[in-house]
Amino acid sequence: MKLRQNIRHFAAKKALTMPVIGDIATEKLVDLHVRIFGERADPDHRAEREPHMEAFFDCTFDTYVAALESGFPEAEAREITHIQSNFDFYNHGWTEMMEFPVEELETHYERYEAFFSRYNIDIANPLGDFETIDIPDAPATMEKLDDPEHPHAEGGFADDAYVEDAAGNVNVGGKEEPENVDLNAAPGMQDLDEEEAA
């Protein structure tokens, strides 16, 4: 899928892998992602989905850290968590929130199948072993799968992790991590452009 990547993402990585600060960063990032994806939701259903998203996203940050510990670079570790979320959106028929089209679900799964299998993650069970807290139920809109609309999805990026830079150039793979990343650049540590942090 196509991702953005900038210094804030590397600062978030640093924060998420630190004791104590990691918990604060997770809370800030969960709030940020609930807000961003909530704004993509059908307005009639946003409020009823937010508790589900909050708990679900909280678990995906454990996936992110596990992916980093497994040797994945930042962009791919983050992509894994976004794929989990898109599996969940699909399972609920929340197609307007998806970041890639329904027909690319299997391809995204297959790229990370070894990692996903290790933690019992699949399309039907997107958190697998990372479901360590209760995830509140949220009403589904399965009828949307009959003729899915994906206003926020970008197709054609299922074969690799694509990273878009600040100039709009898209390259395969992520950037090399800079040295001496400033923790204050992480979400929640200062004001930031929300869309760039997603």
Side-chain angles (χ1 to χ4, degrees), residues 59-121:
C59 292
T60 66
F61 285 101
D62 291 335
T63 309
Y64 176 78
V65 173
L68 292 172
E69 291 172 347
S70 296
F72 288 100
E74 195 283 328
E76 292 186 4
R78 184 156 40 92
E79 182 183 33
I80 285 170
T81 67
H82 279 250
I83 292 170
Q84 286 180 292
S85 298
N86 280 268
F87 290 167
D88 188 58
F89 300 159
Y90 170 78
N91 291 336
H92 287 83
W94 299 344
T95 59
E96 77 278 13
M97 295 165 60
M98 292 181 68
E99 296 171 285
F100 51 81
V102 166
E103 58 267 20
E104 294 184 358
L105 283 167
E106 287 284 349
T107 307
H108 279 88
Y109 171 79
E110 289 166 0
R111 284 184 38 237
Y112 294 108
E113 186 171 6
F115 177 83
F116 286 149
S117 296
R118 188 184 320 156
Y119 294 103
N120 298 305
I121 294 168

Side-chain angles (χ1 to χ4, degrees), residues 26 31 38 46 48 64 77 95-97 103 114 126 132 139 153 163 182:
T26 296
D31 289 346
R46 177 178 179 175
E48 66 192 17
Y64 176 78
T95 59
E96 77 278 13
M97 295 165 60
E103 58 267 20
T132 55
V163 175
D182 183 359

